Amino acid sequence: MDSGWTWSYEGYDPKTERLRETLCTLGNGYFATRGAATETLTGPSHYPGTYAAGCYNRLTSTVAGRQVENEDMVNLPNWLPLRYRMRPSDAPPGPWLSPDHEQLAEYRQTLDLRHGTLTRWSTYEDGDGRRLKVKQTRFVHMEDPHLAALRTLFTADGWAGEVEVSTGIDGDVHNHGVARYRALASRHLGDWECGREGGDTVWLSCRTLDSDVRIALAARVQVGSGRGVPPRTTAHTAHAIGQRLRLPVLGTGGTAVVDKTVTLYTSRDPAIGSPLEAAVDGALAAPEFPRLLATHRAAWEHLWQRADLEVPGEAGGILRLHLFHVLQTLSPHTAELDVGVPARGLHGEAYRGHVFWDELFVLPFLNLHLPEVSRALLDYRHRRLPAACRAAREAGRTGAMYPWQSGSDGREETQQMHLNPRSGRWLPDHSHLQHHVGSAVAYNIWQYCQASGDTEFLYGHGAEMLLQIARFWADCAAWDPAIGRYRIRGVVGPDEYHDGYPDAAEPGLDDNAYTNVTAAWVLMRALDLGRTLPEACRRELCERKHLGEEDLARWEDIAHRLYVPYDRGVISQFAGYQELRELDWAGYRGRYGDIRRLDRILEAEGDTVNRYQASKQADVLMLGYLFSPGELTKVFRQLGYALDDDIWRHTVEYYLCRTSHGSTLSALVHAWVLARVRHDDAWSYCEEALTGDVADLQGGTTTEGIHLGAMAGTLDLVQRGMTGLETRDGALWLAPAPLPQLSKFAVRIRYRRHWDIGLQLRAEQVRVAVPDRGNGPVHVRLGGRLFTVAPGTTRWLDLPTCVAGYPTQ
């Protein structure tokens, strides 16, 4: 970090270039383009990629002798290409230049977070001392979601002549961004057409082969500030189109400017006749670069006003980078789209651009800044409610069974086979048994409505989803007279390493604690909602969904009698977990060093993690992430179980030494939980969560796309985790548990009708500032007391002397 607002790299390092490309991705919520150099092609060091939110295609591949179908977020035609070379007046033309060329003398790039631009400086020097200085600035427009622009300045040093430029649009692209997917079918585009419009604009159109999404890009290339163009030639192949032109640089110190303005449309866009017509018209009508840059910068300034988080020091700089990438993936433009939360952002092809439960870590932050985006993301789930209900029926269940991986239409997109890169073997994938994704959807509905006060959504789409998810859990719960409780069998929990019992014929585990507790919580919230719905609304909804009083009575019974396994005073991850073998953690760390992906290590040895007490990531401890101590205690009490400080501390300590942290979400959850249980140990996990992507701690995964949930989660760790902020019962509840390294910060939030409520933490006080907007006062609960902050006033509140934990029963 050069400052709190810029992220810079000095020098060129091909080994880290793909990581830099991911972290320098630019986007606007509609589409994003990786930070690849314009002079480079796809190769070991580079991966240009452009992705539009929700643009998927399905292909069939042969894997281990089986026909396997996968849906992928499509790598779209590359609009970046712009190559150049020196043509001195006293020598033959030089080679085409790029950062990989031996003539590269200096290289630097800077990502401007405040204004959403990436600037690259390159200097090349030939054997006779001629130098060419190149400065490029690019952005993906935050105001107009279909626009992007690139300005390139060429400056001659020690020679006179011309710079030859070749630029265009390349449609000959594949999905090759993830090495372990490369054995799969990867060409998603076809039916290319190319053309030229006027003197300075070229276009390319194509379509996805199965989903039949039509895509069109147009690129207008101007020299200098006017629309006059030097002589140029246009050439195209079956998959690409380009222009070549020569620019006089007028001798030493002379500078030539090339502006490339690009538009991108697809047939999924509303209010257009055709993508090609919209793209060409948009490119021709777009303002020139300075005006585009000014409106783009202004849009970012407005966005930062709604979402900025002020944290001092290095942690603050990384958090701002995380927020930048969250806003590029899920911007106000997202509210107009039918898309979910892609786990890897719009930054790469890992997980095929699918939607998992990661929204669980993203929406709580968005709820308090961009609630209209949260609602749109929940509407994505509502539109796919029929598919979730169909999936439940096909599994012999009622209600809604949301898929672990979702894409375009809401069917289950989890792969049937996955590759272990260590052993080279394709293995069955049972992660689709993570039905707890439905509880994540329900949790997000409830949290959004508590924060926004959006009863229209809660009583409509939200109620439909919540009741159908509750119905699914009620149908999954089977009575076991031997223990006098309901049980949920045959699932996989958040841990993911354990997908079955050792040597069992069928996959799945019984009574995963996280699954059962969240299922009980969903049933409780569904019953609460049923009691608060307006009578006419309740009657209509129950009639449409064929819900009777006997159904609700059974839900009530299950919500109080679901089984949660305990063993030796510790909440068991699932029934039988503590009967598994202990792992030789020291031995494996000694042999392998990094054992985050312990599952792959053991499988390559011919073993399986199913035999051991070893978890990939937080599972039981996720309960401490979702629920405050008071709320979690209430859920356990309603289930008839004790949960106090001792039980929870023993549970945390038990899993702390049995977790390999094979997911970037794991350190985040541990930091959150430890801030209230083992305060002194929390910071090391917080540091890992902060640096997971910027340092690529998972060993190459960030090159395939950012971990959006982990990035958003670190923001929420400060916003809600350090403040203990909850939005419930018409008030802001605060229970601060700041770490010494995160003890001073400020955040502005949007809570119901109130915009820009200021929360500031410092020393032993928290400051609550409510702007004067004509709305009512804000109620704050802190340390068991209720405070009222009137509009236009500020209050400093003293923090309690101790952090509230899990009460003794």
Side-chain angles (χ1 to χ4, degrees), residues 309 311 319 713-723 742 745:
L309 186 68
V311 177
L319 285 164
T714 60
L715 303 169
D716 204 34
L717 174 63
V718 176
Q719 176 178 270
R720 292 193 309 131
M722 297 295 101
T723 62
L742 284 174
F745 56 84

Side-chain angles (χ1 to χ4, degrees), residues 30 52 55 76 146 213-216 264-269 272 275:
Y30 173 80
C55 186
L76 300 182
H146 300 280
V213 177
R214 284 165 289 134
I215 301 138
L264 187 157
Y265 283 83
T266 80
S267 56
R268 301 180 75 246
D269 296 326
I272 61 170

Side-chain angles (χ1 to χ4, degrees), residues 268-453:
R268 301 180 75 246
D269 296 326
I272 61 170
S274 76
L276 178 56
E277 182 179 342
V280 171
D281 289 348
L284 293 173
E288 294 176 359
F289 188 91
R291 177 59 182 161
L292 279 178
L293 179 59
T295 54
H296 168 73
R297 289 165 62 106
W300 265 109
E301 290 283 0
H302 296 150
L303 195 52
W304 282 118
Q305 288 173 12
R306 296 183 63 180
D308 194 19
L309 186 68
E310 295 294 337
V311 177
E314 182 181 6
I318 296 174
L319 285 164
R320 187 165 284 135
L321 177 73
H322 288 182
L323 180 51
F324 177 74
H325 285 301
V326 170
L327 295 176
Q328 291 195 120
T329 307
L330 303 169
S331 80
H333 298 301
T334 308
E336 307 298 321
L337 305 175
D338 176 31
V339 298
V341 177
R344 293 304 195 92
L346 300 175
H347 297 60
E349 295 160 15
Y351 301 149
R352 299 182 172 87
H354 291 167
V355 176
F356 293 71
W357 73 327
D358 296 62
E359 62 202 46
L360 188 64
F361 302 88
V362 177
L363 264 65
F365 180 81
L366 294 178
N367 291 341
L368 297 170
H369 300 280
L370 300 168
E372 71 277 15
V373 177
S374 290
R375 177 167 176 164
L377 297 170
L378 291 171
D379 275 332
Y380 166 88
R381 292 296 192 180
H382 181 262
R383 294 186 189 100
R384 286 149 187 83
L385 181 60
C389 293
R390 185 165 56 251
R393 288 194 301 272
E394 291 171 354
R397 299 292 182 196
T398 58
M401 186 176 78
Y402 276 95
W404 177 238
Q405 295 188 34
S406 180
S408 59
D409 60 13
R411 75 181 81 173
E412 179 62 76
E413 299 293 353
T414 300
Q415 62 270 24
Q416 301 170 34
M417 309 283 287
H418 68 271
L419 175 67
N420 181 356
R422 280 186 174 270
S423 67
R425 287 189 285 266
W426 288 91
L427 308 165
D429 192 314
H430 302 303
S431 58
H432 66 278
L433 296 175
Q434 292 188 74
H435 301 317
H436 62 81
V437 65
S439 295
V441 174
Y443 181 87
N444 279 326
I445 292 166
W446 196 260
Q447 291 294 327
Y448 161 72
C449 293
Q450 289 287 309
S452 67

Side-chain angles (χ1 to χ4, degrees), residues 48 603 691:
E603 193 279 328
T691 58

Side-chain angles (χ1 to χ4, degrees), residues 32 49 74-75 110 176 250 255 264 303 339 343 511 582 589 607 667 672 725 763 793:
V74 179
N75 185 13
T110 293
H176 277 168
L250 308 176
T255 298
L264 187 157
L303 195 52
V339 298
D511 302 307
E582 290 284 6
R589 287 194 175 98
D607 204 348
W672 187 293
L725 173 62
T793 66

Side-chain angles (χ1 to χ4, degrees), residues 36 158 592 704:
Y592 293 98
E704 304 165 351

